[in-house]
Amino acid sequence: MEATAKHFRKRDAILNCLRNTDVHPSAEWVYEQLKAEHSDISLATVYRNLARFKERGEIISVGTVNGIERFDGNTNPHVHFICTNCSIVTF
C-alpha cells in the first residue's frame, strides 16, 4: 500500500509540475525540477508518466525542438511558437 501511495505522489508531482509552468518543458527539465523533493524519482518514471498523460489527453506534446520532445500541461486550444534562434517555445 505504501509503495502505491509513493507511486501516485510522483505521478501527481509530475503532472502538477507541467500544469504549473509556462516553459513547455522536456522530460529532463521536469526530472530536474522534481529530483530534490522526490529523491527516488527516475528519469524513466518521468518519461513513462508523460507518455501516459499524453495518451490520456491530460497533457499535449508541443513537438520536438532540437531533438527533444516538449510538453504542455495546458490542454486548452492555443498555438505555440518556437524561436528559431534560441528554441524557446511560447504561446
Side-chain angles (χ1 to χ4, degrees):
M1 180 85 167
E2 188 175 319
T4 302
K6 260 188 192 180
H7 180 70
F8 288 127
R9 280 195 302 268
K10 289 183 220 174
R11 184 180 296 165
D12 291 343
I14 294 166
L15 188 56
N16 286 334
C17 183
L18 278 168
R19 289 190 172 158
N20 292 307
T21 186
D22 289 331
V23 299
H24 303 90
S26 65
E28 291 83 1
W29 186 92
V30 173
Y31 170 73
E32 289 297 323
Q33 298 304 303
L34 297 176
K35 72 179 184 177
E37 186 176 336
H38 301 273
S39 59
D40 59 339
I41 198 166
S42 70
L43 185 54
T45 297
V46 173
Y47 273 110
R48 187 171 43 258
N49 281 285
L50 290 175
R52 172 180 281 169
F53 297 146
K54 190 169 71 168
E55 183 179 291
R56 293 180 176 180
E58 296 178 84
I59 65 170
I60 58 173
S61 174
V62 176
T64 303
V65 180
N66 293 333
I68 300 171
E69 187 172 17
R70 306 284 286 277
F71 301 93
D72 192 345
N74 178 358
T75 59
N76 295 321
H78 62 285
V79 296
H80 293 98
F81 299 96
I82 302 170
C83 178
T84 56
N85 290 326
C86 65
S87 301
I88 288 178
V89 179
T90 189
F91 54 96

